[in-house]
Amino acid sequence: MKRAGLQRGVGVALWRQIADGIRQGIASGLADQDGRLPPENQLAERFGVNRHTVRAAISALAHEGVLQSEQGRGTYVRRQKRLVYPIGERTRFSAGLGGQARETRSEMTSHAREPASEPVASALGLQPGETLIRIENRGTADGMPVSRSTSWFSAERFPAIPEAYARTGSITEALIECGVEDYRRASTRVEARHADEVDTRELKLAPGAIILITHALNTDLDGQPIQYSMTRFAADRVELVVESSRSAATGDQTRPA
Amino acid sequence: MKRAGLQRGVGVALWRQIADGIRQGIASGLADQDGRLPPENQLAERFGVNRHTVRAAISALAHEGVLQSEQGRGTYVRRQKRLVYPIGERTRFSAGLGGQARETRSEMTSHAREPASEPVASALGLQPGETLIRIENRGTADGMPVSRSTSWFSAERFPAIPEAYARTGSITEALIECGVEDYRRASTRVEARHADEVDTRELKLAPGAIILITHALNTDLDGQPIQYSMTRFAADRVELVVESSRSAATGDQTRPA
DNA sequence: CCAAGTTGTATATTGATCTAGACAAGTAGA
DNA sequence: TCTACTTGTCTAGATCAATATACAACTTGG
């Protein structure tokens, strides 16, 4: 068996394509039960390249923390499954990942006041130029960065939200302190892009990695928009699950080949 | 202004990063009102590279159909906006893209009977090994391929569905003929990956392009699963919008910078 | 027509990527 | 211990990617 879908001369080095291939392959049983990868020679044959090219890929993944090579023994997998991030009416960060990691955290990295740009204002039902509070946030699971989000709130309605968020470590808690008992996700738009330099740094991504981007609008129970946020997820560590509200579906956690 | 987020020595050629950068930049006003790109020298300076490197990027995008260069005049943009594909309880292909393109089509490329794999069976609430009908499909908008989907149906319940689909050109119509008056989307899982060789060919993608993948389960009005499908979207031509069921949100079509 | 600005082509040089082959160094099992 | 298998290192050459420089070909506006 040769050439598992590699493309030459397209601006992406073979070793990088192979690295991506191995990373994906791990999810679908490339490694054996002990987490041991096939030997380099075998991988080289499977991908139809020289062993050194495979070594470059493995080296990149090792540097990235996915693999670990041991001379004479083999190459072993370190991390495994992607986290499942549910999107629905009651989407919340920590609750969503609950149980899938030993420890999930959501921490504010910075906040600022700024005038509303046109699209954000329109989403929040405000006038462009009205003052907003912008909160930058990073979500981690077991110490590994998972997402990076930017949220906007009306500065008039929620002047104290950065302080409350910093203190409680939870948007939900902070909103309660600001008088919002509960809220719901009104809409979510999903797109995918290559990670830029900042993403790569902040999310500890492999260069050329993919990010999933959600643009979300949260409203209070009266349907009044209160939070607009854009979240960037590391696509190789997270997948999004959209839940329709009326019923939890039967088999939606499974993944077909 | 220099270096708009390029990374060297990471296995992705600069010209490809620049091509991706230009493609994105087009969406946010890189070209002027006539669709004319800044001259190559200016782009080279902005990206902090040699003019030839920019030319390689432009050449790739031209080959891809996004740009068109004219000697002495400049380089012009051909395609523009991404289609918006709504995901909600009543997700249907043609209806979803309605109005955004002159002509949308959904055509069956092949179909077959096969035993149910474990995950598909579990999603559909069947036993692994039961016979399924698999339908491969391609969605196009104005002749440009947009999505590629694989759907599975119970062969026992819907023996005539390939024939009905081929005749009507619509899953919804075909299901009506098979006795399903209406159906709803129970769950959707979204992930993102690099396009593989087949995607690149079938969707006419640029090498290294991104695809959005949805795994969806449709049920009839009794909640009985009837269709499981996996759809691959060209991420640079489509974005997904998740609609919560109770209300259509106010500003969810807008896109913040 | 002319000048300025643009894309197209050519050549040369340097570094990154990929291949090829050989052997060293470590591990595990017979 | 010995052998088979694995990862690690080294050298050499071929091809791709990026830079640098120069000039040709074409378009537009004066």
Side-chain angles (χ1 to χ4, degrees), chain A residues 34-195:
Chain A
D34 302 337
R36 184 178 189 250
L37 232 56
E40 297 172 350
N41 270 320
Q42 213 164 305
L43 288 172
E45 195 185 2
R46 175 184 310 201
F47 285 109
V49 299
N50 190 273
R51 177 177 156 234
H52 292 294
T53 311
V54 168
R55 281 181 61 74
I58 289 176
S59 159
L61 291 171
H63 199 264
E64 198 181 316
V66 178
L67 298 180
Q68 182 172 17
S69 292
E70 293 170 36
Q71 187 170 2
R73 284 175 34 92
T75 301
Y76 293 82
V77 177
R78 289 186 128 173
R79 239 195 328 287
Q80 293 269 14
K81 280 186 53 178
R82 279 196 280 208
L83 300 171
V84 173
Y85 187 82
I87 293 180
E89 292 210 333
R90 295 198 52 81
T91 296
R92 280 116 176 85
F93 180 79
S94 298
L97 298 178
Q100 300 183 65
R102 288 190 305 283
E103 177 247 352
T104 60
R105 235 187 353 205
S106 164
E107 55 194 1
M108 183 164 62
T109 53
S110 75
H111 63 95
R113 289 173 154 252
E114 66 183 20
S117 68
E118 197 282 312
V120 173
S122 134
L124 286 174
L126 303 175
Q127 294 304 316
E130 276 192 59
T131 304
L132 297 182
I133 291 172
R134 191 191 68 221
I135 294 182
E136 301 286 343
N137 174 286
R138 179 161 48 188
T140 59
D142 292 338
M144 178 62 74
V146 160
S147 66
R148 213 158 73 79
S149 75
T150 308
S151 296
W152 289 270
F153 301 86
S154 159
E156 186 179 2
R157 182 163 175 196
F158 303 106
I161 192 135
E163 183 274 326
Y165 183 28
R167 183 154 36 75
T168 62
S170 154
I171 287 279
T172 307
E173 291 290 327
L175 282 171
I176 289 175
E177 295 201 0
C178 293
V180 177
E181 285 179 34
D182 199 4
Y183 61 94
R184 56 179 283 275
R185 176 70 63 97
S187 80
T188 311
R189 182 159 56 83
V190 182
E191 59 182 333
R193 290 213 293 247
H194 285 106

Side-chain angles (χ1 to χ4, degrees), chain B residues 2 8 14 16 20 40 57 59 64 68 71 88 90 93 98 136 147-148 170 190 192 201 223-224 237 242 245 254:
Chain B
K2 288 196 130 202
R8 285 165 194 259
L14 290 183
R16 172 133 295 286
D20 295 340
E40 296 171 351
S59 159
E64 198 183 316
Q68 181 172 18
Q71 186 169 3
R90 296 197 52 80
F93 179 78
E136 301 285 343
S147 65
R148 214 158 72 80
S170 154
V190 182
R201 189 171 55 249
Q224 195 68 21
R237 302 207 264 270
V242 180
S245 51
T254 60

Side-chain angles (χ1 to χ4, degrees), chain B residues 8 13-15 48-53 71-73:
Chain B
R8 285 165 194 259
L14 290 183
W15 64 263
V49 301
N50 189 272
R51 177 176 155 235
H52 291 292
T53 311
Q71 186 169 3
R73 284 175 34 91

